[in-house]
Tab-separated table of all heavy atoms in Angstrom:
chain	number	residue	atom	x	y	z
A	1	MET	N	-2.185	-28.624	5.027
A	1	MET	CA	-2.950	-27.369	5.196
A	1	MET	C	-2.415	-26.283	4.257
A	1	MET	O	-1.214	-26.182	4.099
A	1	MET	CB	-2.827	-26.884	6.626
A	1	MET	CG	-3.372	-27.853	7.657
A	1	MET	SD	-5.139	-28.064	7.686
A	1	MET	CE	-5.659	-26.858	8.924
A	2	ILE	N	-3.341	-25.453	3.800
A	2	ILE	CA	-2.932	-24.317	2.956
A	2	ILE	C	-3.544	-23.087	3.540
A	2	ILE	O	-4.519	-23.179	4.314
A	2	ILE	CB	-3.352	-24.471	1.494
A	2	ILE	CG1	-4.829	-24.766	1.384
A	2	ILE	CG2	-2.544	-25.530	0.747
A	2	ILE	CD1	-5.458	-24.400	-0.006
A	3	LYS	N	-2.978	-21.993	3.227
A	3	LYS	CA	-3.587	-20.725	3.734
A	3	LYS	C	-4.498	-20.122	2.694
A	3	LYS	O	-4.288	-20.214	1.468
A	3	LYS	CB	-2.506	-19.749	4.068
A	3	LYS	CG	-1.820	-20.036	5.381
A	3	LYS	CD	-0.880	-18.973	5.759
A	3	LYS	CE	-0.206	-19.295	7.140
A	3	LYS	NZ	0.901	-18.382	7.458
A	4	LYS	N	-5.596	-19.547	3.144
A	4	LYS	CA	-6.549	-18.988	2.245
A	4	LYS	C	-7.005	-17.573	2.742
A	4	LYS	O	-7.125	-17.372	3.944
A	4	LYS	CB	-7.806	-19.879	2.241
A	4	LYS	CG	-8.096	-20.418	0.861
A	4	LYS	CD	-9.469	-21.183	0.829
A	4	LYS	CE	-10.107	-20.782	-0.418
A	4	LYS	NZ	-11.443	-21.397	-0.573
A	5	ILE	N	-7.196	-16.738	1.804
A	5	ILE	CA	-7.696	-15.393	2.114
A	5	ILE	C	-9.225	-15.480	2.070
A	5	ILE	O	-9.795	-15.944	1.151
A	5	ILE	CB	-7.266	-14.347	1.091
A	5	ILE	CG1	-5.742	-14.252	0.938
A	5	ILE	CG2	-7.863	-12.927	1.373
A	5	ILE	CD1	-5.239	-13.427	-0.260
A	6	ILE	N	-9.786	-14.947	3.204
A	6	ILE	CA	-11.316	-14.953	3.185
A	6	ILE	C	-11.734	-13.532	3.532
A	6	ILE	O	-11.242	-12.899	4.456
A	6	ILE	CB	-11.765	-15.995	4.279
A	6	ILE	CG1	-11.424	-17.375	3.881
A	6	ILE	CG2	-13.290	-15.874	4.517
A	6	ILE	CD1	-11.431	-18.438	4.952
A	7	ILE	N	-12.636	-13.044	2.715
A	7	ILE	CA	-13.194	-11.688	2.916
A	7	ILE	C	-14.677	-11.866	3.370
A	7	ILE	O	-15.446	-12.571	2.703
A	7	ILE	CB	-13.130	-10.887	1.635
A	7	ILE	CG1	-11.708	-10.696	1.231
A	7	ILE	CG2	-13.730	-9.448	1.938
A	7	ILE	CD1	-11.570	-10.153	-0.179
A	8	ASP	N	-15.044	-11.255	4.473
A	8	ASP	CA	-16.401	-11.305	4.939
A	8	ASP	C	-17.189	-10.142	4.267
A	8	ASP	O	-17.048	-8.952	4.619
A	8	ASP	CB	-16.426	-11.167	6.457
A	8	ASP	CG	-17.810	-11.389	7.057
A	8	ASP	OD1	-18.810	-11.237	6.241
A	8	ASP	OD2	-17.930	-11.760	8.188
A	9	ASP	N	-18.021	-10.489	3.342
A	9	ASP	CA	-18.884	-9.581	2.553
A	9	ASP	C	-19.774	-8.699	3.463
A	9	ASP	O	-20.088	-7.588	3.099
A	9	ASP	CB	-19.896	-10.409	1.725
A	9	ASP	CG	-19.335	-10.767	0.410
A	9	ASP	OD1	-18.109	-10.739	0.306
A	9	ASP	OD2	-20.177	-11.122	-0.480
A	10	GLU	N	-20.237	-9.307	4.511
A	10	GLU	CA	-21.165	-8.611	5.351
A	10	GLU	C	-20.467	-7.507	6.129
A	10	GLU	O	-21.108	-6.578	6.605
A	10	GLU	CB	-21.703	-9.606	6.449
A	10	GLU	CG	-22.269	-10.863	5.901
A	10	GLU	CD	-23.741	-10.707	5.585
A	10	GLU	OE1	-24.474	-10.351	6.489
A	10	GLU	OE2	-24.082	-10.914	4.374
A	11	VAL	N	-19.147	-7.663	6.309
A	11	VAL	CA	-18.393	-6.704	7.127
A	11	VAL	C	-17.623	-5.719	6.271
A	11	VAL	O	-17.515	-4.546	6.692
A	11	VAL	CB	-17.364	-7.524	8.005
A	11	VAL	CG1	-16.513	-6.632	8.817
A	11	VAL	CG2	-18.129	-8.486	8.906
A	12	CYS	N	-17.276	-6.083	5.024
A	12	CYS	CA	-16.558	-5.214	4.147
A	12	CYS	C	-17.379	-3.943	3.852
A	12	CYS	O	-18.551	-3.975	3.587
A	12	CYS	CB	-16.245	-5.941	2.848
A	12	CYS	SG	-15.527	-4.870	1.537
A	13	ILE	N	-16.659	-2.763	3.964
A	13	ILE	CA	-17.359	-1.528	3.726
A	13	ILE	C	-16.977	-0.908	2.345
A	13	ILE	O	-17.344	0.204	2.033
A	13	ILE	CB	-17.081	-0.460	4.850
A	13	ILE	CG1	-15.514	-0.265	5.047
A	13	ILE	CG2	-17.720	-0.900	6.164
A	13	ILE	CD1	-15.185	0.905	5.917
A	14	GLY	N	-16.191	-1.648	1.600
A	14	GLY	CA	-15.906	-1.309	0.231
A	14	GLY	C	-15.005	-0.068	0.108
A	14	GLY	O	-15.022	0.730	-0.833
A	15	CYS	N	-14.086	0.080	1.113
A	15	CYS	CA	-13.205	1.253	1.049
A	15	CYS	C	-12.094	1.164	0.079
A	15	CYS	O	-11.558	2.212	-0.338
A	15	CYS	CB	-12.618	1.467	2.502
A	15	CYS	SG	-11.374	0.208	2.869
A	16	GLY	N	-11.748	-0.019	-0.366
A	16	GLY	CA	-10.714	-0.191	-1.409
A	16	GLY	C	-9.307	-0.173	-0.881
A	16	GLY	O	-8.372	-0.311	-1.674
A	17	ALA	N	-9.075	-0.144	0.438
A	17	ALA	CA	-7.737	-0.053	0.982
A	17	ALA	C	-6.953	-1.349	0.614
A	17	ALA	O	-5.808	-1.305	0.318
A	17	ALA	CB	-7.789	0.120	2.501
A	18	CYS	N	-7.655	-2.511	0.706
A	18	CYS	CA	-6.881	-3.744	0.437
A	18	CYS	C	-6.473	-3.803	-0.969
A	18	CYS	O	-5.286	-4.225	-1.255
A	18	CYS	CB	-7.821	-4.981	0.755
A	18	CYS	SG	-9.397	-4.896	-0.094
A	19	GLU	N	-7.270	-3.343	-1.887
A	19	GLU	CA	-6.853	-3.295	-3.329
A	19	GLU	C	-5.696	-2.317	-3.461
A	19	GLU	O	-4.778	-2.642	-4.278
A	19	GLU	CB	-8.049	-2.809	-4.177
A	19	GLU	CG	-7.795	-2.984	-5.635
A	19	GLU	CD	-8.981	-2.409	-6.453
A	19	GLU	OE1	-9.463	-1.352	-6.151
A	19	GLU	OE2	-9.331	-3.076	-7.459
A	20	GLY	N	-5.659	-1.220	-2.815
A	20	GLY	CA	-4.578	-0.278	-2.857
A	20	GLY	C	-3.279	-0.874	-2.394
A	20	GLY	O	-2.209	-0.608	-2.907
A	21	THR	N	-3.395	-1.665	-1.351
A	21	THR	CA	-2.194	-2.265	-0.697
A	21	THR	C	-1.657	-3.488	-1.457
A	21	THR	O	-0.475	-3.619	-1.623
A	21	THR	CB	-2.458	-2.637	0.790
A	21	THR	OG1	-2.938	-1.477	1.453
A	21	THR	CG2	-1.202	-3.121	1.499
A	22	ALA	N	-2.618	-4.391	-1.815
A	22	ALA	CA	-2.235	-5.605	-2.509
A	22	ALA	C	-3.108	-5.853	-3.732
A	22	ALA	O	-3.917	-6.713	-3.734
A	22	ALA	CB	-2.353	-6.758	-1.483
A	23	PRO	N	-2.874	-5.044	-4.777
A	23	PRO	CA	-3.705	-5.089	-5.940
A	23	PRO	C	-3.680	-6.471	-6.715
A	23	PRO	O	-4.548	-6.782	-7.440
A	23	PRO	CB	-3.220	-3.995	-6.874
A	23	PRO	CG	-1.868	-3.651	-6.339
A	23	PRO	CD	-1.819	-3.956	-4.916
A	24	ASP	N	-2.693	-7.198	-6.477
A	24	ASP	CA	-2.530	-8.544	-7.117
A	24	ASP	C	-3.540	-9.563	-6.480
A	24	ASP	O	-4.005	-10.480	-7.126
A	24	ASP	CB	-1.159	-9.180	-6.958
A	24	ASP	CG	-0.126	-8.501	-7.860
A	24	ASP	OD1	-0.564	-7.673	-8.698
A	24	ASP	OD2	1.079	-8.755	-7.664
A	25	HIS	N	-3.921	-9.290	-5.213
A	25	HIS	CA	-4.732	-10.296	-4.492
A	25	HIS	C	-6.132	-9.822	-4.205
A	25	HIS	O	-7.009	-10.688	-4.026
A	25	HIS	CB	-3.979	-10.666	-3.220
A	25	HIS	CG	-2.789	-11.414	-3.399
A	25	HIS	ND1	-2.766	-12.789	-3.530
A	25	HIS	CD2	-1.523	-11.067	-3.538
A	25	HIS	CE1	-1.561	-13.252	-3.815
A	25	HIS	NE2	-0.719	-12.178	-3.828
A	26	PHE	N	-6.354	-8.472	-4.185
A	26	PHE	CA	-7.700	-8.020	-3.895
A	26	PHE	C	-8.212	-7.065	-4.960
A	26	PHE	O	-7.449	-6.339	-5.557
A	26	PHE	CB	-7.649	-7.232	-2.528
A	26	PHE	CG	-7.251	-8.039	-1.336
A	26	PHE	CD1	-5.873	-8.065	-1.029
A	26	PHE	CD2	-8.160	-8.694	-0.581
A	26	PHE	CE1	-5.480	-8.827	0.087
A	26	PHE	CE2	-7.779	-9.408	0.545
A	26	PHE	CZ	-6.439	-9.508	0.847
A	27	GLU	N	-9.485	-7.145	-5.199
A	27	GLU	CA	-10.079	-6.176	-6.102
A	27	GLU	C	-11.517	-5.872	-5.621
A	27	GLU	O	-12.223	-6.708	-5.091
A	27	GLU	CB	-10.100	-6.741	-7.594
A	27	GLU	CG	-11.075	-7.854	-7.846
A	27	GLU	CD	-10.899	-8.418	-9.242
A	27	GLU	OE1	-10.361	-7.723	-10.116
A	27	GLU	OE2	-11.282	-9.598	-9.440
A	28	LEU	N	-11.878	-4.593	-5.874
A	28	LEU	CA	-13.176	-4.134	-5.487
A	28	LEU	C	-14.142	-4.472	-6.611
A	28	LEU	O	-13.897	-4.070	-7.773
A	28	LEU	CB	-13.100	-2.653	-5.234
A	28	LEU	CG	-14.031	-2.005	-4.198
A	28	LEU	CD1	-13.938	-2.800	-2.894
A	28	LEU	CD2	-13.684	-0.533	-3.988
A	29	GLY	N	-15.193	-5.183	-6.352
A	29	GLY	CA	-16.168	-5.557	-7.392
A	29	GLY	C	-17.197	-4.526	-7.602
A	29	GLY	O	-17.254	-3.511	-6.885
A	30	SER	N	-17.985	-4.712	-8.665
A	30	SER	CA	-19.039	-3.735	-9.013
A	30	SER	C	-20.133	-3.781	-7.927
A	30	SER	O	-20.968	-2.839	-7.866
A	30	SER	CB	-19.663	-4.075	-10.386
A	30	SER	OG	-19.945	-5.401	-10.439
A	31	ASP	N	-20.094	-4.733	-7.091
A	31	ASP	CA	-21.034	-4.831	-5.979
A	31	ASP	C	-20.623	-4.017	-4.787
A	31	ASP	O	-21.253	-3.978	-3.725
A	31	ASP	CB	-21.304	-6.353	-5.518
A	31	ASP	CG	-19.991	-6.980	-5.118
A	31	ASP	OD1	-18.875	-6.380	-5.245
A	31	ASP	OD2	-20.056	-8.171	-4.651
A	32	GLY	N	-19.414	-3.314	-4.937
A	32	GLY	CA	-18.894	-2.438	-3.847
A	32	GLY	C	-18.277	-3.160	-2.680
A	32	GLY	O	-18.066	-2.631	-1.636
A	33	LYS	N	-17.941	-4.447	-2.993
A	33	LYS	CA	-17.281	-5.307	-1.977
A	33	LYS	C	-15.996	-5.793	-2.500
A	33	LYS	O	-15.785	-5.998	-3.746
A	33	LYS	CB	-18.105	-6.490	-1.607
A	33	LYS	CG	-19.513	-6.207	-1.138
A	33	LYS	CD	-19.519	-5.708	0.287
A	33	LYS	CE	-20.929	-5.402	0.766
A	33	LYS	NZ	-20.898	-4.939	2.173
A	34	ALA	N	-14.954	-6.022	-1.649
A	34	ALA	CA	-13.709	-6.572	-2.060
A	34	ALA	C	-13.806	-8.066	-2.337
A	34	ALA	O	-14.642	-8.734	-1.664
A	34	ALA	CB	-12.651	-6.295	-0.975
A	35	HIS	N	-13.097	-8.517	-3.330
A	35	HIS	CA	-13.045	-9.953	-3.639
A	35	HIS	C	-11.653	-10.397	-3.787
A	35	HIS	O	-10.721	-9.575	-4.042
A	35	HIS	CB	-13.804	-10.174	-4.936
A	35	HIS	CG	-15.273	-9.828	-4.898
A	35	HIS	ND1	-16.215	-10.629	-4.383
A	35	HIS	CD2	-15.925	-8.694	-5.261
A	35	HIS	CE1	-17.392	-10.010	-4.404
A	35	HIS	NE2	-17.221	-8.833	-4.969
A	36	VAL	N	-11.432	-11.702	-3.614
A	36	VAL	CA	-10.112	-12.211	-3.758
A	36	VAL	C	-9.839	-12.369	-5.234
A	36	VAL	O	-10.583	-13.062	-5.959
A	36	VAL	CB	-9.977	-13.575	-3.070
A	36	VAL	CG1	-8.594	-14.174	-3.263
A	36	VAL	CG2	-10.245	-13.469	-1.556
A	37	LYS	N	-8.784	-11.705	-5.687
A	37	LYS	CA	-8.463	-11.768	-7.104
A	37	LYS	C	-7.497	-12.973	-7.344
A	37	LYS	O	-7.607	-13.675	-8.316
A	37	LYS	CB	-7.729	-10.455	-7.466
A	37	LYS	CG	-7.427	-10.239	-8.939
A	37	LYS	CD	-6.928	-8.860	-9.112
A	37	LYS	CE	-6.295	-8.545	-10.441
A	37	LYS	NZ	-5.651	-7.215	-10.476
A	38	LYS	N	-6.544	-13.091	-6.436
A	38	LYS	CA	-5.621	-14.209	-6.493
A	38	LYS	C	-5.430	-14.759	-5.088
A	38	LYS	O	-5.294	-13.908	-4.113
A	38	LYS	CB	-4.320	-13.716	-7.066
A	38	LYS	CG	-3.330	-14.822	-7.486
A	38	LYS	CD	-2.135	-14.273	-8.176
A	38	LYS	CE	-0.916	-14.196	-7.166
A	38	LYS	NZ	0.163	-13.374	-7.666
A	39	GLN	N	-5.473	-16.014	-4.905
A	39	GLN	CA	-5.431	-16.582	-3.599
A	39	GLN	C	-4.048	-16.391	-2.944
A	39	GLN	O	-3.062	-15.972	-3.610
A	39	GLN	CB	-5.826	-18.090	-3.520
A	39	GLN	CG	-7.255	-18.291	-2.993
A	39	GLN	CD	-7.479	-17.630	-1.631
A	39	GLN	OE1	-6.569	-17.334	-0.821
A	39	GLN	NE2	-8.729	-17.342	-1.364
A	40	TYR	N	-3.987	-16.705	-1.675
A	40	TYR	CA	-2.767	-16.493	-0.895
A	40	TYR	C	-1.571	-17.194	-1.476
A	40	TYR	O	-1.637	-18.248	-2.003
A	40	TYR	CB	-2.997	-17.148	0.508
A	40	TYR	CG	-1.874	-16.947	1.437
A	40	TYR	CD1	-1.937	-15.810	2.296
A	40	TYR	CD2	-0.858	-17.873	1.576
A	40	TYR	CE1	-0.833	-15.657	3.239
A	40	TYR	CE2	0.189	-17.644	2.437
A	40	TYR	CZ	0.166	-16.522	3.256
A	40	TYR	OH	1.213	-16.325	4.094
A	41	SER	N	-0.481	-16.438	-1.409
A	41	SER	CA	0.847	-17.137	-1.810
A	41	SER	C	1.873	-16.648	-0.862
A	41	SER	O	1.893	-15.475	-0.443
A	41	SER	CB	1.172	-16.834	-3.306
A	41	SER	OG	1.721	-15.540	-3.388
A	42	GLU	N	2.707	-17.606	-0.490
A	42	GLU	CA	3.791	-17.281	0.492
A	42	GLU	C	4.656	-16.100	0.067
A	42	GLU	O	5.175	-15.340	0.825
A	42	GLU	CB	4.634	-18.524	0.761
A	42	GLU	CG	4.059	-19.542	1.754
A	42	GLU	CD	3.839	-19.002	3.118
A	42	GLU	OE1	4.689	-18.254	3.588
A	42	GLU	OE2	2.812	-19.389	3.718
A	43	ASP	N	4.864	-16.046	-1.297
A	43	ASP	CA	5.704	-15.028	-1.822
A	43	ASP	C	5.225	-13.568	-1.506
A	43	ASP	O	5.974	-12.632	-1.453
A	43	ASP	CB	5.740	-15.097	-3.362
A	43	ASP	CG	6.497	-16.400	-3.833
A	43	ASP	OD1	7.115	-17.023	-3.011
A	43	ASP	OD2	6.340	-16.673	-5.038
A	44	ASP	N	3.892	-13.483	-1.345
A	44	ASP	CA	3.298	-12.138	-1.048
A	44	ASP	C	2.765	-12.017	0.300
A	44	ASP	O	1.904	-11.216	0.626
A	44	ASP	CB	2.106	-11.937	-2.069
A	44	ASP	CG	2.584	-11.893	-3.518
A	44	ASP	OD1	3.746	-11.530	-3.748
A	44	ASP	OD2	1.760	-12.200	-4.367
A	45	LYS	N	3.262	-12.874	1.210
A	45	LYS	CA	2.619	-12.863	2.558
A	45	LYS	C	2.675	-11.567	3.258
A	45	LYS	O	1.795	-11.210	3.983
A	45	LYS	CB	3.250	-14.043	3.418
A	45	LYS	CG	4.658	-13.962	3.782
A	45	LYS	CD	4.975	-15.090	4.688
A	45	LYS	CE	6.477	-15.090	5.080
A	45	LYS	NZ	6.868	-16.256	5.770
A	46	GLU	N	3.803	-10.857	3.102
A	46	GLU	CA	3.898	-9.500	3.798
A	46	GLU	C	2.875	-8.519	3.326
A	46	GLU	O	2.234	-7.769	4.079
A	46	GLU	CB	5.301	-8.953	3.713
A	46	GLU	CG	6.186	-9.573	4.775
A	46	GLU	CD	7.596	-9.748	4.409
A	46	GLU	OE1	8.139	-8.916	3.684
A	46	GLU	OE2	8.192	-10.767	4.822
A	47	THR	N	2.738	-8.492	1.949
A	47	THR	CA	1.703	-7.578	1.355
A	47	THR	C	0.271	-7.921	1.799
A	47	THR	O	-0.516	-7.102	2.085
A	47	THR	CB	1.856	-7.645	-0.172
A	47	THR	OG1	3.210	-7.677	-0.550
A	47	THR	CG2	1.161	-6.461	-0.840
A	48	ILE	N	0.081	-9.275	1.770
A	48	ILE	CA	-1.305	-9.716	2.118
A	48	ILE	C	-1.583	-9.422	3.612
A	48	ILE	O	-2.605	-8.956	4.010
A	48	ILE	CB	-1.433	-11.274	1.912
A	48	ILE	CG1	-1.370	-11.493	0.366
A	48	ILE	CG2	-2.738	-11.788	2.450
A	48	ILE	CD1	-1.195	-12.949	-0.014
A	49	GLU	N	-0.566	-9.627	4.476
A	49	GLU	CA	-0.644	-9.311	5.914
A	49	GLU	C	-0.983	-7.825	6.071
A	49	GLU	O	-1.737	-7.441	6.921
A	49	GLU	CB	0.595	-9.745	6.587
A	49	GLU	CG	0.566	-9.848	8.075
A	49	GLU	CD	-0.355	-10.895	8.639
A	49	GLU	OE1	-0.797	-11.852	7.884
A	49	GLU	OE2	-0.705	-10.799	9.797
A	50	ALA	N	-0.269	-6.967	5.297
A	50	ALA	CA	-0.419	-5.526	5.437
A	50	ALA	C	-1.881	-5.160	5.022
A	50	ALA	O	-2.449	-4.292	5.657
A	50	ALA	CB	0.565	-4.834	4.541
A	51	ALA	N	-2.347	-5.762	4.005
A	51	ALA	CA	-3.765	-5.507	3.556
A	51	ALA	C	-4.758	-5.938	4.602
A	51	ALA	O	-5.680	-5.197	4.900
A	51	ALA	CB	-4.017	-6.199	2.209
A	52	LYS	N	-4.437	-7.094	5.190
A	52	LYS	CA	-5.322	-7.623	6.252
A	52	LYS	C	-5.340	-6.694	7.463
A	52	LYS	O	-6.395	-6.282	7.943
A	52	LYS	CB	-4.858	-9.029	6.675
A	52	LYS	CG	-5.658	-9.675	7.687
A	52	LYS	CD	-4.983	-10.976	8.182
A	52	LYS	CE	-5.065	-10.900	9.675
A	52	LYS	NZ	-4.246	-11.952	10.285
A	53	ASN	N	-4.125	-6.243	7.900
A	53	ASN	CA	-4.048	-5.383	9.052
A	53	ASN	C	-4.579	-4.011	8.741
A	53	ASN	O	-4.963	-3.282	9.641
A	53	ASN	CB	-2.627	-5.335	9.524
A	53	ASN	CG	-2.136	-6.628	10.052
A	53	ASN	OD1	-2.900	-7.505	10.522
A	53	ASN	ND2	-0.797	-6.862	10.007
A	54	GLY	N	-4.549	-3.614	7.460
A	54	GLY	CA	-4.979	-2.255	7.127
A	54	GLY	C	-6.459	-2.154	6.889
A	54	GLY	O	-6.999	-1.021	6.592
A	55	CYS	N	-7.188	-3.251	6.880
A	55	CYS	CA	-8.599	-3.185	6.617
A	55	CYS	C	-9.293	-2.545	7.825
A	55	CYS	O	-9.245	-3.127	8.942
A	55	CYS	CB	-9.187	-4.644	6.376
A	55	CYS	SG	-10.974	-4.693	6.280
A	56	PRO	N	-10.000	-1.437	7.561
A	56	PRO	CA	-10.556	-0.726	8.758
A	56	PRO	C	-11.724	-1.432	9.386
A	56	PRO	O	-12.134	-1.193	10.475
A	56	PRO	CB	-11.038	0.639	8.148
A	56	PRO	CG	-11.152	0.344	6.712
A	56	PRO	CD	-10.192	-0.758	6.344
A	57	ALA	N	-12.287	-2.379	8.592
A	57	ALA	CA	-13.531	-3.117	9.059
A	57	ALA	C	-13.194	-4.464	9.680
A	57	ALA	O	-14.027	-5.141	10.274
A	57	ALA	CB	-14.470	-3.326	7.905
A	58	GLY	N	-11.892	-4.884	9.469
A	58	GLY	CA	-11.524	-6.193	9.943
A	58	GLY	C	-12.230	-7.280	9.215
A	58	GLY	O	-12.509	-8.378	9.778
A	59	ALA	N	-12.398	-7.081	7.881
A	59	ALA	CA	-13.115	-8.013	7.097
A	59	ALA	C	-12.292	-9.159	6.469
A	59	ALA	O	-12.793	-10.127	5.939
A	59	ALA	CB	-13.899	-7.310	6.012
A	60	ILE	N	-10.979	-8.964	6.581
A	60	ILE	CA	-10.046	-9.898	5.897
A	60	ILE	C	-9.493	-10.890	6.907
A	60	ILE	O	-9.023	-10.494	7.952
A	60	ILE	CB	-8.918	-9.221	5.146
A	60	ILE	CG1	-9.478	-8.195	4.148
A	60	ILE	CG2	-7.937	-10.177	4.572
A	60	ILE	CD1	-8.409	-7.263	3.544
A	61	GLU	N	-9.492	-12.152	6.535
A	61	GLU	CA	-8.942	-13.172	7.370
A	61	GLU	C	-7.990	-14.053	6.542
A	61	GLU	O	-8.276	-14.247	5.355
A	61	GLU	CB	-10.072	-14.078	7.883
A	61	GLU	CG	-10.250	-14.105	9.394
A	61	GLU	CD	-11.215	-15.238	9.730
A	61	GLU	OE1	-12.406	-15.165	9.353
A	61	GLU	OE2	-10.716	-16.141	10.381
A	62	VAL	N	-6.928	-14.467	7.115
A	62	VAL	CA	-6.098	-15.501	6.470
A	62	VAL	C	-6.180	-16.715	7.327
A	62	VAL	O	-5.780	-16.769	8.500
A	62	VAL	CB	-4.629	-15.027	6.281
A	62	VAL	CG1	-3.780	-16.097	5.700
A	62	VAL	CG2	-4.522	-13.785	5.436
A	63	LYS	N	-6.795	-17.734	6.723
A	63	LYS	CA	-7.083	-18.975	7.502
A	63	LYS	C	-6.298	-20.151	6.889
A	63	LYS	O	-6.142	-20.281	5.723
A	63	LYS	CB	-8.568	-19.269	7.329
A	63	LYS	CG	-9.382	-18.934	8.559
A	63	LYS	CD	-10.765	-19.516	8.367
A	63	LYS	CE	-11.648	-19.156	9.558
A	63	LYS	NZ	-13.065	-19.401	9.261
A	64	GLU	N	-5.986	-21.065	7.822
A	64	GLU	CA	-5.414	-22.340	7.367
A	64	GLU	C	-6.530	-23.294	7.148
A	64	GLU	O	-7.395	-23.474	7.998
A	64	GLU	CB	-4.454	-22.876	8.451
A	64	GLU	CG	-3.187	-22.100	8.608
A	64	GLU	CD	-1.949	-22.957	8.823
A	64	GLU	OE1	-1.851	-23.932	8.056
A	64	GLU	OE2	-1.197	-22.661	9.726
A	65	VAL	N	-6.647	-23.804	5.973
A	65	VAL	CA	-7.664	-24.718	5.654
A	65	VAL	C	-7.086	-26.009	5.061
A	65	VAL	O	-5.888	-26.028	4.678
A	65	VAL	CB	-8.704	-24.171	4.623
A	65	VAL	CG1	-9.435	-22.977	5.148
A	65	VAL	CG2	-7.977	-23.745	3.300
A	66	GLU	N	-7.892	-27.058	5.089
A	66	GLU	CA	-7.364	-28.327	4.549
A	66	GLU	C	-7.265	-28.231	3.094
A	66	GLU	O	-8.113	-27.690	2.358
A	66	GLU	CB	-8.406	-29.360	4.941
A	66	GLU	CG	-7.742	-30.682	5.408
A	66	GLU	CD	-8.735	-31.622	6.033
A	66	GLU	OE1	-9.307	-31.277	7.045
A	66	GLU	OE2	-8.958	-32.644	5.411
A	67	ASP	N	-6.110	-28.706	2.577
A	67	ASP	CA	-5.884	-28.696	1.147
A	67	ASP	C	-6.695	-29.862	0.537
A	67	ASP	O	-6.446	-31.042	0.757
A	67	ASP	CB	-4.426	-28.962	0.882
A	67	ASP	CG	-4.028	-28.669	-0.568
A	67	ASP	OD1	-4.963	-28.541	-1.394
A	67	ASP	OD2	-2.823	-28.671	-0.842
A	68	LYS	N	-7.689	-29.483	-0.350
A	68	LYS	CA	-8.538	-30.500	-0.906
A	68	LYS	C	-8.111	-31.034	-2.232
A	68	LYS	O	-8.815	-31.712	-2.934
A	68	LYS	CB	-9.986	-29.915	-1.037
A	68	LYS	CG	-10.561	-29.597	0.339
A	68	LYS	CD	-12.126	-29.716	0.321
A	68	LYS	CE	-12.719	-29.400	1.662
A	68	LYS	NZ	-12.723	-27.939	1.957
A	69	LYS	N	-6.921	-30.758	-2.577
A	69	LYS	CA	-6.349	-31.215	-3.877
A	69	LYS	C	-6.260	-32.698	-3.933
A	69	LYS	O	-5.895	-33.393	-2.947
A	69	LYS	CB	-5.022	-30.610	-4.129
A	69	LYS	CG	-5.142	-29.419	-5.118
A	69	LYS	CD	-3.728	-28.959	-5.544
A	69	LYS	CE	-3.432	-27.594	-4.742
A	69	LYS	NZ	-2.097	-27.188	-4.849
B	1	SF4	FE1	-13.429	-4.188	2.350
B	1	SF4	FE2	-11.514	-4.190	4.139
B	1	SF4	FE3	-10.884	-4.244	1.582
B	1	SF4	FE4	-11.865	-1.994	2.599
B	1	SF4	S1	-9.911	-2.929	3.150
B	1	SF4	S2	-12.490	-2.940	0.710
B	1	SF4	S3	-13.366	-2.896	4.146
B	1	SF4	S4	-11.988	-5.854	2.680
């Protein structure tokens, strides 16, 4: 299993907080929604967790998914 950052487009309000907290992993697109810039890495887990917890819309999820490699 690997961990993956998932952003719900429908829920994201485009506030940019996640990008401010974890700019390596999140970026605000021209569509006004946050996108995953770089996927989850254990090295940045605290920053990613902070971005997830700081999302006012609750649009960010960190999910364990099957590694399809
Ligand atoms: Fe969207 Fe949440 Fe990021 Fe704000 S913090 S841009 S609502 S995903």
Side-chain angles (χ1 to χ4, degrees):
M1 299 291 267
I2 54 160
K3 282 188 179 170
K4 239 187 138 183
I5 302 168
I6 295 160
I7 301 167
D8 189 339
D9 271 21
E10 308 272 304
V11 177
C12 172
I13 54 168
C15 71
C18 53
E19 189 185 43
T21 305
D24 287 351
H25 291 275
F26 298 89
E27 68 187 341
L28 211 51
S30 50
D31 58 355
K33 303 282 179 181
H35 298 278
V36 178
K37 188 172 169 190
K38 191 174 102 195
Q39 257 309 336
Y40 185 89
S41 79
E42 280 297 323
D43 292 347
D44 296 333
K45 65 176 178 189
E46 274 146 38
T47 318
I48 294 166
E49 195 65 17
K52 183 189 132 188
N53 294 336
C55 173
I60 302 170
E61 243 193 294
V62 176
K63 255 192 185 166
E64 289 220 47
V65 294
E66 224 169 292
D67 191 351
K68 294 209 180 76
K69 257 186 257 170

